[in-house]
PDB file of all heavy atoms in Angstrom:
ATOM      1  N   PRO A 191       7.275 -36.679 -74.132  1.00  0.00           N
ATOM      2  CA  PRO A 191       7.782 -37.997 -74.521  1.00  0.00           C
ATOM      3  C   PRO A 191       8.843 -37.933 -75.612  1.00  0.00           C
ATOM      4  O   PRO A 191       9.825 -38.679 -75.575  1.00  0.00           O
ATOM      5  CB  PRO A 191       6.530 -38.733 -74.997  1.00  0.00           C
ATOM      6  CG  PRO A 191       5.410 -38.082 -74.242  1.00  0.00           C
ATOM      7  CD  PRO A 191       5.802 -36.634 -74.117  1.00  0.00           C
ATOM      8  N   GLU A 192       8.651 -37.029 -76.574  1.00  0.00           N
ATOM      9  CA  GLU A 192       9.625 -36.932 -77.668  1.00  0.00           C
ATOM     10  C   GLU A 192      10.983 -36.421 -77.191  1.00  0.00           C
ATOM     11  O   GLU A 192      12.018 -36.693 -77.809  1.00  0.00           O
ATOM     12  CB  GLU A 192       9.099 -36.032 -78.790  1.00  0.00           C
ATOM     13  CG  GLU A 192       8.681 -34.630 -78.364  1.00  0.00           C
ATOM     14  CD  GLU A 192       7.201 -34.538 -78.003  1.00  0.00           C
ATOM     15  OE1 GLU A 192       6.611 -35.572 -77.605  1.00  0.00           O
ATOM     16  OE2 GLU A 192       6.652 -33.433 -78.136  1.00  0.00           O
ATOM     17  N   GLU A 193      10.998 -35.678 -76.060  1.00  0.00           N
ATOM     18  CA  GLU A 193      12.264 -35.207 -75.497  1.00  0.00           C
ATOM     19  C   GLU A 193      13.065 -36.354 -74.884  1.00  0.00           C
ATOM     20  O   GLU A 193      14.292 -36.273 -74.785  1.00  0.00           O
ATOM     21  CB  GLU A 193      12.006 -34.155 -74.410  1.00  0.00           C
ATOM     22  CG  GLU A 193      11.439 -32.855 -74.904  1.00  0.00           C
ATOM     23  CD  GLU A 193      11.148 -31.877 -73.768  1.00  0.00           C
ATOM     24  OE1 GLU A 193      10.792 -32.332 -72.664  1.00  0.00           O
ATOM     25  OE2 GLU A 193      11.276 -30.657 -74.002  1.00  0.00           O
ATOM     26  N   LEU A 194      12.375 -37.408 -74.487  1.00  0.00           N
ATOM     27  CA  LEU A 194      13.020 -38.505 -73.773  1.00  0.00           C
ATOM     28  C   LEU A 194      13.355 -39.698 -74.666  1.00  0.00           C
ATOM     29  O   LEU A 194      14.095 -40.587 -74.248  1.00  0.00           O
ATOM     30  CB  LEU A 194      12.117 -38.977 -72.624  1.00  0.00           C
ATOM     31  CG  LEU A 194      11.679 -37.897 -71.626  1.00  0.00           C
ATOM     32  CD1 LEU A 194      10.710 -38.489 -70.608  1.00  0.00           C
ATOM     33  CD2 LEU A 194      12.876 -37.285 -70.914  1.00  0.00           C
ATOM     34  N   LEU A 195      12.845 -39.697 -75.889  1.00  0.00           N
ATOM     35  CA  LEU A 195      12.983 -40.859 -76.758  1.00  0.00           C
ATOM     36  C   LEU A 195      14.435 -41.183 -77.100  1.00  0.00           C
ATOM     37  O   LEU A 195      14.796 -42.340 -77.272  1.00  0.00           O
ATOM     38  CB  LEU A 195      12.189 -40.653 -78.055  1.00  0.00           C
ATOM     39  CG  LEU A 195      10.673 -40.856 -77.968  1.00  0.00           C
ATOM     40  CD1 LEU A 195      10.016 -40.532 -79.296  1.00  0.00           C
ATOM     41  CD2 LEU A 195      10.362 -42.304 -77.562  1.00  0.00           C
ATOM     42  N   GLY A 196      15.265 -40.156 -77.220  1.00  0.00           N
ATOM     43  CA  GLY A 196      16.633 -40.381 -77.671  1.00  0.00           C
ATOM     44  C   GLY A 196      17.579 -40.914 -76.623  1.00  0.00           C
ATOM     45  O   GLY A 196      18.757 -41.166 -76.920  1.00  0.00           O
ATOM     46  N   PHE A 197      17.117 -41.092 -75.400  1.00  0.00           N
ATOM     47  CA  PHE A 197      17.985 -41.525 -74.312  1.00  0.00           C
ATOM     48  C   PHE A 197      17.843 -43.019 -74.074  1.00  0.00           C
ATOM     49  O   PHE A 197      16.739 -43.519 -73.833  1.00  0.00           O
ATOM     50  CB  PHE A 197      17.664 -40.754 -73.030  1.00  0.00           C
ATOM     51  CG  PHE A 197      17.865 -39.265 -73.158  1.00  0.00           C
ATOM     52  CD1 PHE A 197      16.782 -38.406 -73.293  1.00  0.00           C
ATOM     53  CD2 PHE A 197      19.139 -38.722 -73.156  1.00  0.00           C
ATOM     54  CE1 PHE A 197      16.963 -37.038 -73.406  1.00  0.00           C
ATOM     55  CE2 PHE A 197      19.332 -37.353 -73.259  1.00  0.00           C
ATOM     56  CZ  PHE A 197      18.248 -36.512 -73.396  1.00  0.00           C
ATOM     57  N   LYS A 198      18.978 -43.713 -74.103  1.00  0.00           N
ATOM     58  CA  LYS A 198      18.960 -45.161 -73.934  1.00  0.00           C
ATOM     59  C   LYS A 198      18.699 -45.539 -72.484  1.00  0.00           C
ATOM     60  O   LYS A 198      17.961 -46.491 -72.199  1.00  0.00           O
ATOM     61  CB  LYS A 198      20.279 -45.759 -74.413  1.00  0.00           C
ATOM     62  CG  LYS A 198      20.294 -47.282 -74.408  1.00  0.00           C
ATOM     63  CD  LYS A 198      21.598 -47.826 -74.971  1.00  0.00           C
ATOM     64  CE  LYS A 198      21.605 -49.352 -74.948  1.00  0.00           C
ATOM     65  NZ  LYS A 198      22.873 -49.914 -75.487  1.00  0.00           N
ATOM     66  N   THR A 199      19.326 -44.836 -71.543  1.00  0.00           N
ATOM     67  CA  THR A 199      19.145 -45.108 -70.117  1.00  0.00           C
ATOM     68  C   THR A 199      18.689 -43.833 -69.412  1.00  0.00           C
ATOM     69  O   THR A 199      18.812 -42.731 -69.957  1.00  0.00           O
ATOM     70  CB  THR A 199      20.449 -45.599 -69.456  1.00  0.00           C
ATOM     71  OG1 THR A 199      21.386 -44.514 -69.425  1.00  0.00           O
ATOM     72  CG2 THR A 199      21.043 -46.771 -70.225  1.00  0.00           C
ATOM     73  N   TYR A 200      18.209 -43.991 -68.184  1.00  0.00           N
ATOM     74  CA  TYR A 200      17.817 -42.819 -67.415  1.00  0.00           C
ATOM     75  C   TYR A 200      19.023 -41.933 -67.110  1.00  0.00           C
ATOM     76  O   TYR A 200      18.922 -40.702 -67.116  1.00  0.00           O
ATOM     77  CB  TYR A 200      17.135 -43.243 -66.108  1.00  0.00           C
ATOM     78  CG  TYR A 200      15.752 -43.809 -66.323  1.00  0.00           C
ATOM     79  CD1 TYR A 200      15.505 -45.176 -66.175  1.00  0.00           C
ATOM     80  CD2 TYR A 200      14.690 -42.985 -66.686  1.00  0.00           C
ATOM     81  CE1 TYR A 200      14.239 -45.700 -66.377  1.00  0.00           C
ATOM     82  CE2 TYR A 200      13.422 -43.505 -66.892  1.00  0.00           C
ATOM     83  CZ  TYR A 200      13.204 -44.861 -66.736  1.00  0.00           C
ATOM     84  OH  TYR A 200      11.942 -45.368 -66.957  1.00  0.00           O
ATOM     85  N   ALA A 201      20.175 -42.548 -66.872  1.00  0.00           N
ATOM     86  CA  ALA A 201      21.376 -41.765 -66.569  1.00  0.00           C
ATOM     87  C   ALA A 201      21.737 -40.821 -67.709  1.00  0.00           C
ATOM     88  O   ALA A 201      22.273 -39.724 -67.478  1.00  0.00           O
ATOM     89  CB  ALA A 201      22.539 -42.703 -66.270  1.00  0.00           C
ATOM     90  N   ASP A 202      21.422 -41.223 -68.937  1.00  0.00           N
ATOM     91  CA  ASP A 202      21.721 -40.367 -70.087  1.00  0.00           C
ATOM     92  C   ASP A 202      20.901 -39.074 -70.070  1.00  0.00           C
ATOM     93  O   ASP A 202      21.250 -38.101 -70.752  1.00  0.00           O
ATOM     94  CB  ASP A 202      21.446 -41.123 -71.392  1.00  0.00           C
ATOM     95  CG  ASP A 202      22.378 -42.304 -71.591  1.00  0.00           C
ATOM     96  OD1 ASP A 202      23.487 -42.285 -71.016  1.00  0.00           O
ATOM     97  OD2 ASP A 202      21.995 -43.248 -72.316  1.00  0.00           O
ATOM     98  N   GLN A 203      19.823 -39.049 -69.297  1.00  0.00           N
ATOM     99  CA  GLN A 203      18.961 -37.858 -69.246  1.00  0.00           C
ATOM    100  C   GLN A 203      19.490 -36.771 -68.315  1.00  0.00           C
ATOM    101  O   GLN A 203      18.964 -35.651 -68.306  1.00  0.00           O
ATOM    102  CB  GLN A 203      17.555 -38.249 -68.776  1.00  0.00           C
ATOM    103  CG  GLN A 203      16.835 -39.228 -69.664  1.00  0.00           C
ATOM    104  CD  GLN A 203      15.475 -39.617 -69.106  1.00  0.00           C
ATOM    105  OE1 GLN A 203      14.939 -38.953 -68.213  1.00  0.00           O
ATOM    106  NE2 GLN A 203      14.908 -40.709 -69.608  1.00  0.00           N
ATOM    107  N   VAL A 204      20.510 -37.083 -67.524  1.00  0.00           N
ATOM    108  CA  VAL A 204      20.960 -36.159 -66.473  1.00  0.00           C
ATOM    109  C   VAL A 204      21.316 -34.781 -67.003  1.00  0.00           C
ATOM    110  O   VAL A 204      20.833 -33.761 -66.474  1.00  0.00           O
ATOM    111  CB  VAL A 204      22.131 -36.771 -65.671  1.00  0.00           C
ATOM    112  CG1 VAL A 204      22.744 -35.732 -64.739  1.00  0.00           C
ATOM    113  CG2 VAL A 204      21.629 -37.964 -64.856  1.00  0.00           C
ATOM    114  N   PRO A 205      22.181 -34.641 -68.038  1.00  0.00           N
ATOM    115  CA  PRO A 205      22.531 -33.282 -68.509  1.00  0.00           C
ATOM    116  C   PRO A 205      21.310 -32.475 -68.943  1.00  0.00           C
ATOM    117  O   PRO A 205      21.213 -31.279 -68.647  1.00  0.00           O
ATOM    118  CB  PRO A 205      23.479 -33.555 -69.677  1.00  0.00           C
ATOM    119  CG  PRO A 205      24.058 -34.906 -69.403  1.00  0.00           C
ATOM    120  CD  PRO A 205      22.942 -35.676 -68.770  1.00  0.00           C
ATOM    121  N   MET A 206      20.383 -33.126 -69.651  1.00  0.00           N
ATOM    122  CA  MET A 206      19.187 -32.429 -70.109  1.00  0.00           C
ATOM    123  C   MET A 206      18.344 -31.946 -68.934  1.00  0.00           C
ATOM    124  O   MET A 206      17.938 -30.776 -68.882  1.00  0.00           O
ATOM    125  CB  MET A 206      18.366 -33.363 -71.010  1.00  0.00           C
ATOM    126  CG  MET A 206      17.052 -32.776 -71.513  1.00  0.00           C
ATOM    127  SD  MET A 206      15.606 -33.077 -70.417  1.00  0.00           S
ATOM    128  CE  MET A 206      15.367 -34.847 -70.629  1.00  0.00           C
ATOM    129  N   ARG A 207      18.092 -32.830 -67.976  1.00  0.00           N
ATOM    130  CA  ARG A 207      17.251 -32.446 -66.835  1.00  0.00           C
ATOM    131  C   ARG A 207      17.948 -31.391 -65.974  1.00  0.00           C
ATOM    132  O   ARG A 207      17.306 -30.463 -65.486  1.00  0.00           O
ATOM    133  CB  ARG A 207      16.899 -33.675 -65.997  1.00  0.00           C
ATOM    134  CG  ARG A 207      16.011 -34.682 -66.720  1.00  0.00           C
ATOM    135  CD  ARG A 207      15.250 -35.528 -65.728  1.00  0.00           C
ATOM    136  NE  ARG A 207      14.586 -36.667 -66.345  1.00  0.00           N
ATOM    137  CZ  ARG A 207      13.465 -37.227 -65.899  1.00  0.00           C
ATOM    138  NH1 ARG A 207      12.875 -36.738 -64.817  1.00  0.00           N
ATOM    139  NH2 ARG A 207      12.928 -38.283 -66.483  1.00  0.00           N
ATOM    140  N   ALA A 208      19.264 -31.529 -65.781  1.00  0.00           N
ATOM    141  CA  ALA A 208      19.994 -30.556 -64.959  1.00  0.00           C
ATOM    142  C   ALA A 208      19.936 -29.158 -65.591  1.00  0.00           C
ATOM    143  O   ALA A 208      19.749 -28.160 -64.876  1.00  0.00           O
ATOM    144  CB  ALA A 208      21.446 -31.003 -64.798  1.00  0.00           C
ATOM    145  N   LYS A 209      20.091 -29.103 -66.880  1.00  0.00           N
ATOM    146  CA  LYS A 209      20.029 -27.813 -67.580  1.00  0.00           C
ATOM    147  C   LYS A 209      18.673 -27.140 -67.395  1.00  0.00           C
ATOM    148  O   LYS A 209      18.588 -25.933 -67.102  1.00  0.00           O
ATOM    149  CB  LYS A 209      20.315 -28.016 -69.071  1.00  0.00           C
ATOM    150  CG  LYS A 209      20.294 -26.733 -69.887  1.00  0.00           C
ATOM    151  CD  LYS A 209      20.554 -27.022 -71.359  1.00  0.00           C
ATOM    152  CE  LYS A 209      20.465 -25.737 -72.190  1.00  0.00           C
ATOM    153  NZ  LYS A 209      20.662 -26.014 -73.634  1.00  0.00           N
ATOM    154  N   ILE A 210      17.608 -27.924 -67.533  1.00  0.00           N
ATOM    155  CA  ILE A 210      16.257 -27.367 -67.389  1.00  0.00           C
ATOM    156  C   ILE A 210      16.015 -26.889 -65.962  1.00  0.00           C
ATOM    157  O   ILE A 210      15.425 -25.820 -65.739  1.00  0.00           O
ATOM    158  CB  ILE A 210      15.206 -28.418 -67.803  1.00  0.00           C
ATOM    159  CG1 ILE A 210      15.326 -28.722 -69.291  1.00  0.00           C
ATOM    160  CG2 ILE A 210      13.801 -27.929 -67.477  1.00  0.00           C
ATOM    161  CD1 ILE A 210      14.438 -29.864 -69.763  1.00  0.00           C
ATOM    162  N   VAL A 211      16.467 -27.668 -64.965  1.00  0.00           N
ATOM    163  CA  VAL A 211      16.294 -27.264 -63.569  1.00  0.00           C
ATOM    164  C   VAL A 211      17.026 -25.956 -63.295  1.00  0.00           C
ATOM    165  O   VAL A 211      16.470 -25.028 -62.668  1.00  0.00           O
ATOM    166  CB  VAL A 211      16.793 -28.374 -62.610  1.00  0.00           C
ATOM    167  CG1 VAL A 211      16.819 -27.861 -61.168  1.00  0.00           C
ATOM    168  CG2 VAL A 211      15.892 -29.602 -62.708  1.00  0.00           C
ATOM    169  N   LEU A 212      18.260 -25.839 -63.756  1.00  0.00           N
ATOM    170  CA  LEU A 212      19.020 -24.602 -63.545  1.00  0.00           C
ATOM    171  C   LEU A 212      18.327 -23.414 -64.190  1.00  0.00           C
ATOM    172  O   LEU A 212      18.272 -22.317 -63.607  1.00  0.00           O
ATOM    173  CB  LEU A 212      20.430 -24.756 -64.110  1.00  0.00           C
ATOM    174  CG  LEU A 212      21.444 -25.464 -63.216  1.00  0.00           C
ATOM    175  CD1 LEU A 212      22.744 -25.685 -63.982  1.00  0.00           C
ATOM    176  CD2 LEU A 212      21.712 -24.659 -61.944  1.00  0.00           C
ATOM    177  N   GLU A 213      17.802 -23.614 -65.384  1.00  0.00           N
ATOM    178  CA  GLU A 213      17.084 -22.526 -66.072  1.00  0.00           C
ATOM    179  C   GLU A 213      15.861 -22.096 -65.273  1.00  0.00           C
ATOM    180  O   GLU A 213      15.571 -20.893 -65.160  1.00  0.00           O
ATOM    181  CB  GLU A 213      16.677 -22.982 -67.474  1.00  0.00           C
ATOM    182  CG  GLU A 213      17.854 -23.091 -68.442  1.00  0.00           C
ATOM    183  CD  GLU A 213      17.445 -23.695 -69.782  1.00  0.00           C
ATOM    184  OE1 GLU A 213      16.281 -24.166 -69.899  1.00  0.00           O
ATOM    185  OE2 GLU A 213      18.280 -23.712 -70.694  1.00  0.00           O
ATOM    186  N   GLU A 214      15.125 -23.057 -64.715  1.00  0.00           N
ATOM    187  CA  GLU A 214      13.948 -22.728 -63.906  1.00  0.00           C
ATOM    188  C   GLU A 214      14.335 -21.917 -62.676  1.00  0.00           C
ATOM    189  O   GLU A 214      13.667 -20.943 -62.311  1.00  0.00           O
ATOM    190  CB  GLU A 214      13.223 -24.003 -63.472  1.00  0.00           C
ATOM    191  CG  GLU A 214      12.431 -24.682 -64.564  1.00  0.00           C
ATOM    192  CD  GLU A 214      11.178 -23.915 -64.952  1.00  0.00           C
ATOM    193  OE1 GLU A 214      10.759 -23.018 -64.190  1.00  0.00           O
ATOM    194  OE2 GLU A 214      10.636 -24.198 -66.030  1.00  0.00           O
ATOM    195  N   LEU A 215      15.421 -22.310 -62.025  1.00  0.00           N
ATOM    196  CA  LEU A 215      15.870 -21.596 -60.837  1.00  0.00           C
ATOM    197  C   LEU A 215      16.261 -20.163 -61.175  1.00  0.00           C
ATOM    198  O   LEU A 215      15.876 -19.212 -60.480  1.00  0.00           O
ATOM    199  CB  LEU A 215      17.044 -22.330 -60.191  1.00  0.00           C
ATOM    200  CG  LEU A 215      16.760 -23.733 -59.640  1.00  0.00           C
ATOM    201  CD1 LEU A 215      18.053 -24.396 -59.175  1.00  0.00           C
ATOM    202  CD2 LEU A 215      15.759 -23.672 -58.486  1.00  0.00           C
TER     203      LEU A 215
END
């Protein structure tokens, strides 16, 4: 939850989520 608090909209989360997905792959 604390990772998501700073994002005003869901679209603002895209760079963070994309980075994590690439790292997992």
Side-chain angles (χ1 to χ4, degrees):
E192 55 268 26
E193 292 177 327
L194 305 176
L195 282 176
F197 299 104
K198 186 177 179 180
T199 69
Y200 288 108
D202 294 336
Q203 299 177 16
V204 171
M206 178 270 290
R207 294 204 191 209
K209 181 181 177 182
I210 294 173
V211 171
L212 278 173
E213 288 174 352
E214 285 288 344
L215 296 174

